[in-house]
Every structure is written in C-alpha cells, then in structure tokens.
C-alpha cells in the first residue's frame, strides 16, 4: 500500500471477485434490466417495506457469495449499511449469516465506502475475503424521509427515485476478475442546501471535492479513465458536478462522466423525475453492469465515486442543511 | 498483525494516545464525575436535543485532538457513529472538521468498533493517527426510541438510562500511552428478545459470544485480565452475561467483570434504574477513567467489549426482535 496524501494506492490489487444485484420491477424495466441477477416484487413477500428491503439485501448477499464461490465462513468481515434508521435493513439481513460485521454509515455513498474499507482490509492481509453491501427501497425511503406512499404526495422535478434493490460484492485476495486499485475517503462538504427534494445539489460539491482531489493526488486527468462514475447525483446533481469542476478547477470530466442514477432508469419512458438514488442504486449497478464491463475488458479503468447526502429523518424538520460526503474507489479490468 | 481465527493481534501495538469525555450534569454527579473532561448542561445551549448531542460530540473530538497534541490535518481517517437516525450527531459534528470520515454503525458498541477499525488502520500503516468517537443523549434517545420526555412515560426496572455525553480517542503510531493490542469484530446474535425496555438482555448473548471466543482464540483465561469491561449491559444484562458464560462454557468472569453502564451512575443515589447505556456511555468512560487507570499502570490489561442492541425506531413496532452485536478491543498499559 502506498499513500498519496489522502489517496490509498492498493499495490496487491484486491480482486472485485464477484458482485450481485437484485432489484424490483421498475428497475428491471429500465435500460439495465437484463444486467441484474434477479428482478423481484418490491414486497418480496414480506409484511413491511423495511423487511422487504432486508430481503433484497439478503438475496444479493447470498448470490454474491455463490457467484464468488465463497461461503459465509470464508468472509473475514462484512461491511454494509443502508438508509433506514439504525441500518435496519443491514442488521436484519446479516443476522442470518454467521460472519463478523462492521456496520457502516455513508448514506448513498455506502457501497463505495464498504468497497473502500473492504479492499483495504484485503490489501493489508487483514482479510482474505470481505463482503461489501448496501440496499435501499423506494417505499421504505419515502415512508421514512418524506411521506407514506398512501398520502399520494407530489414530487418536484429535482426529486430522484430511490432504487428498490441491493448490491453485494465479494472482495478477495485470490481468484480472477477486476481489481480495486485505489481508495479515497471523503470529508463532509456542506454548501447549505436545504431542499430535501434536491439531493443531487446537496451531494455534487462533495463529489467535485473527491474527484478533483483524487485526480490531483494521483496526478491523472479525466481522459485517463474509461469512466468517472458517480453514485446517484441524477440529472441535476450531475449537471452541477460538471459545472463545479469546470468553474473551480477548470477540469472537464463531461466526456467520461456517468452516474448510476442516470444509467438505471430511462428518463423518457419511466416516471422517475431526476433519476435514481439510494444506497441500492450504485450498489446494484456497480455489482452487475459495471462489474461485467470490467470483467469483459470493455471498461478498463472506472473511478467509482459513491455520493451520500447526510440527511436524517429529523434534520430537515429543524431546518438543518444537507451536507454531502463522497468516497472513491478505482476499479480496473 | 497476526490473526488467530477471528481475533487480530496488533503487533505494532497502536497507541491509545489520548481520550476525552464530555458529559451532562447527571453523569457529572455520578461516581466518575471527576474523571470527565467537562460536565455541561444537557442542552449545550442548542435549540434541539439532536444538536445538543452533536455539540457534545464536537467538544469531545476537539478536546481529544488537543490532549493528543494533534490537529485535524494529522488525522488520516475519523471513525464515528451514534444512535440517532442516519447518525445525525456524528455528521453534524464532524462536518466542522476537515478530515476524511468513515461513518460506522454498531449501536452502543460503536466506541469499541471505531477503536477496533481505527487501531487496525494504524497497525497496517494506513494511518498515522485515527480518531474514534461516539455519542448519545438521554433526551434525543428517549424522543426517538421511546417517548418525548414531556409525555412523562414510566420506565420499568430493566430500563437503562441513555448517557448524555460523548467520548473521543486519538489512536496513533507514535507517542506514549496505553496500547491497543488486539481487536475482534462480533457477529449478530439474536435470542429473540423483544422487550425494548430490556436492552441488557438483548445484548448479553452477543457479549458472551465475543468474550468466550476472544478468550478461546487467544488461549487466555479471565484471570489473565485486570478487567473485562462491557459497554452498557447494566445490572440485568451483566447478570445475564455472567450466567450465560457459566452455563454455556463453564467460564466465570465475575471476579474481573465490570460494565461502563454500572460504573457511570450510583444506583442507590441516582434514579437510573438498571444503569447507563448509549454509545456515549462506554465512549466517555473508556476515554477518561479507563484511559487514566491504564496510563497510570493501575490497570494492566482491559478487554473492552462494546455491546450494541440492534434496535431501530421501526423494528419494535413491527414486533421484530432486538439482535445484539459486540466488538472487542484489548487495551494494555
């Protein structure tokens, strides 16, 4: 391991051995529908949306282990989190597995955070295999952060649709597959955004901070990457990110930038407003579509920057702003 | 680093360089009142209990950095979490510091979890200095998990009092002080406890699991430790822990066991029912009193086992059980 200021270069190149993504119908009808391992009913046959989210998490975890050819006893430590109060989805999913758990909280940046810590544990020989996972659910998120669906609330154009689904990755010291070659943890950036229906704006400044500093510290340029992939900025946030990087650093990433929240839905045909969001959005996209493109060598070098809006169920009611945090991992074919 | 099954032995012995604990009046009036760095009004002059908790967190972090002779730019990564929805206390405290953040969730085990990951990062050369912190607040916790204080709810004898306060530790590769010499991450253990006023019972099985496996994997006995210190089992949970270890493993830790939730209040003189609880309980006790006794050589070897009850604001309403998780770190003079 080599450290460049705040960026870790992983010299043993831990493997992103396998990934699995399980989503609900609307994501299954989107442009990446065929990429996901399973498309399930949003209820998952459970009695509550929270239990349903947990069932998506459990299914993705089970499939990722299977695809990696690993059992729960092979996992030295599982890193996971979600958006629900007290990470309820993660806790009730992972209690079914006999493995040590390190619960994480990074809002929608959780998948990148879990992959970053999981890869560092493998890099340093602390683990042979780690699990990294995250989940979200449209219905549990609307109920918790906005209004129960039954209220029929209107959503403004800047609102994003929380993805119903989960993604899980097995990171390993042995096997074959794409590699995780760098990781960088973000700081909290607060531009004072208070509109809880515009999470893209809340997260864009931290994404700009993480991307700019990653490029600067590694002495690379946007064109050195096949893709700079943000987690869930959606259309508004992505637009703001590109503007911020140009205005503040004269750095144009528009040719290589994409966003999991944009990739997962078809804006013209699906009623999703500003794109997808939620921990499950980047988790499901990175663990399926992106993993496949890397595995097949169709993407060489993807800087995956998970973006998190640090909004709680309480803070908007107290007129607190929504700070952002973005964590980055570099994925290479 | 050497790994014994699931226990990490830290061969470079990262330093528990400095700790700080800031609490409110009732903790200040308890047996450890003189140990804490500051005793503050529970409101901290803020407009909400959530902001007050965040202010305790910020104060403890500031003091720990100062006592360690470190600035925020010396911290490679800060590990922290709390009990509030979406870790609101941690997020709104740490946004004031310019340092990379890894948010954690381990319920009341968070201080041990953050010390475990923080020490491993130092052990592996990933960081020269890490911050580990956690907080809780009686009023924000009652409001969130039970009833707002204004309702005047009755608390049964097995209920514990959430500690109002925060603790922060700086873990470092250089300097002098006690060492962190081992770490072990727990798995989730669910005995089906559903009484949300008896968190001690919910956590005791996971504490027993972590302690027993730590002793077994390190081939040590209870009498090899000056203290086996659980986070916040309180009176009922501690009693259950001792019983479980004897019944299941014929292992008697009663001579060396203590609990931060028992230490922090005077049961006879303070109306705290079953003892203290909350992330801030073990955080404040370990970062002040325990750190001092280790520094002075009055304790040689403390196995600190943070205990977490994985209860969410929603799960009890859906009749879900309360699983437990316990993470362990070994502190040596």
């Amino acid at each position: 391991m080599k450290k460049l200021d705040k960026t870790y270069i992983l010299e043993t190149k831990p493997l992103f051995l396998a990934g699995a993504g399980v989503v609900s119908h609307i994501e299954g009808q989107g442009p990446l529908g065929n990429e996901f391992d399973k498309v399930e009913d949003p209820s998952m046959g459970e009695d509550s949306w929270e239990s349903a989210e947990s069932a998506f998490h459990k299914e993705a975890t089970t499939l990722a282990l299977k695809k990696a050819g690993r059992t729960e006893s092979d996992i030295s430590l599982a890193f996971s989190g979600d958006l629900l109060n007290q990470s309820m989805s993660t806790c009730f999913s992972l209690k079914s597995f006999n493995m040590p758990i390190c619960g994480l909280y990074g809002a929608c940046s959780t998948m990148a955070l879990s992959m970053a810590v999981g890869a560092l544990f493998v890099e340093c020989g602390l683990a042979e295999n780690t699990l990294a996972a995250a989940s979200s659910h449209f219905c549990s998120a609307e109920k918790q952060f906005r209004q129960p669906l039954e209220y029929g609330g209107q959503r403004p154009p800047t609102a994003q649709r929380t993805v119903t689904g989960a993604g899980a990755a097995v990171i390993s010291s042995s096997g074959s597959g794409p590699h995780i070659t760098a990781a960088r943890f973000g700081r909290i950036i607060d531009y004072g955004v208070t509109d809880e229906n515009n999470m893209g704006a809340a997260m864009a400044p931290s994404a700009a901070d993480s991307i700019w500093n990653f490029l600067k510290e590694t002495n690379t340029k946007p064109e050195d990457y096949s893709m700079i992939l943000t987690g869930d900025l959606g259309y508004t946030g992505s637009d703001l990110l590109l503007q911020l990087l140009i205005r503040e650093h004269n750095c144009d990433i528009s040719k290589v930038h994409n966003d999991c929240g944009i990739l997962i839905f078809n804006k013209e045909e699906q009623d999703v407003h500003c794109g997808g969001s939620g921990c499950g959005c980047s988790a499901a996209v990175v663990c399926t579509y992106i993993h496949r493109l890397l595995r097949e060598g169709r993407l060489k070098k993807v800087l995956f920057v998970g973006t998190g809006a640090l909004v709680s169920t309480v803070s908007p009611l107290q007129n607190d702003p929504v700070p952002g945090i973005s964590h980055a991992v570099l994925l290479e074919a």
Side-chain angles (χ1 to χ4, degrees), chain A:
Chain A
M1 186 278 307
K2 197 168 73 182
K3 202 173 169 205
L4 308 169
D5 197 359
K6 293 186 164 56
T7 302
Y8 294 102
I9 306 297
L10 311 189
E11 297 181 312
T12 70
K13 300 185 179 176
L15 284 151
F16 178 8
L17 185 62
V22 183
V23 297
S24 81
H25 298 319
I26 185 169
E27 292 78 16
Q29 289 154 7
L32 304 184
N34 292 329
E35 302 285 345
F36 302 115
D37 294 273
K38 277 193 179 177
V39 177
E40 300 268 15
D41 186 83
S43 77
M44 288 294 269
E46 297 287 333
D47 289 336
S48 73
W49 298 126
E50 292 81 8
S51 298
E53 183 179 334
S54 219
F56 277 100
H57 190 293
K58 195 170 162 183
E59 187 69 17
T61 300
T62 304
L63 287 171
L65 288 171
K66 194 177 163 191
K67 290 169 83 174
R70 299 289 191 270
T71 64
E72 54 191 318
S73 63
D74 294 323
I75 302 296
S76 302
L77 193 52
F79 298 94
S80 178
D82 56 84
L83 294 173
L84 294 183
N85 296 345
Q86 291 75 44
S87 292
M88 184 177 166
S89 170
T90 292
C91 296
F92 281 85
S93 161
L94 293 185
K95 77 174 182 145
S96 309
F97 299 89
N98 181 15
M99 45 195 187
I101 316 284
C102 175
L104 296 176
Y105 180 71
C108 300
S109 73
T110 300
M111 193 64 207
L113 178 61
S114 63
M115 291 178 81
V117 196
L120 283 169
F121 265 62
V122 172
E123 165 82 2
C124 294
L126 294 166
E128 279 176 38
N129 304 285
T130 55
L131 180 91
S135 66
S136 57
H137 197 299
F138 176 64
C139 308
S140 63
E142 288 296 306
K143 172 184 161 188
Q144 184 179 272
F145 289 110
R146 294 171 195 97
Q147 296 172 330
L149 296 183
E150 292 82 350
Y151 287 17
Q154 294 283 316
R155 290 150 48 82
T158 53
Q160 293 170 246
R161 185 185 168 98
T162 305
V163 162
T164 298
V170 174
I171 302 166
S172 184
S173 58
S174 64
S176 68
H179 298 272
I180 302 176
T181 56
R184 188 179 190 282
F185 298 94
R187 55 183 171 161
I188 300 175
I189 306 274
D190 181 9
Y191 271 32
V193 174
T194 52
D195 180 358
E196 56 168 335
N197 279 303
N198 192 351
M199 292 294 105
M203 298 186 284
S206 74
D209 183 73
S210 288
I211 292 169
W212 171 247
N213 282 299
F214 188 94
L215 296 176
K216 201 177 63 175
E217 291 170 11
T218 56
N219 195 24
T220 53
K221 291 175 191 149
E223 49 269 32
D224 295 330
Y225 299 86
S226 329
M227 192 187 276
I228 295 179
L229 178 70
T230 44
D232 58 344
L233 294 179
Y235 290 93
T236 302
S238 292
D239 189 37
L240 292 171
L241 168 67
L242 300 186
Q243 287 185 44
L244 278 168
L245 283 171
I246 286 185
R247 284 197 202 167
E248 294 184 5
H249 307 293
N250 194 27
C251 170
D252 182 4
I253 64 163
S254 61
K255 287 206 182 75
V256 293
H257 176 257
N258 217 322
D259 181 78
C260 300
I262 291 177
L263 285 167
I264 199 167
F265 292 125
N266 183 324
K267 199 190 180 184
E268 308 307 319
E269 292 174 15
Q270 295 183 293
D271 180 25
V272 296
H273 297 70
C274 219
S277 67
C279 298
C281 177
S282 62
V285 171
V286 168
C287 290
T288 60
Y289 176 59
I290 299 298
H291 186 264
R292 178 177 69 78
L293 295 182
L294 286 162
R295 207 174 56 228
E296 295 175 355
R298 294 172 59 192
L299 287 173
K300 299 287 183 206
K301 211 171 168 181
V302 176
L303 180 60
F304 166 41
V305 183
T307 47
L310 301 173
V311 61
S312 90
T313 56
V314 175
S315 55
L317 307 175
Q318 297 179 351
N319 297 319
D320 286 320
V322 182
I325 192 162
S326 296
H327 302 291
V329 283
L330 182 58
L331 311 174
E332 291 194 60

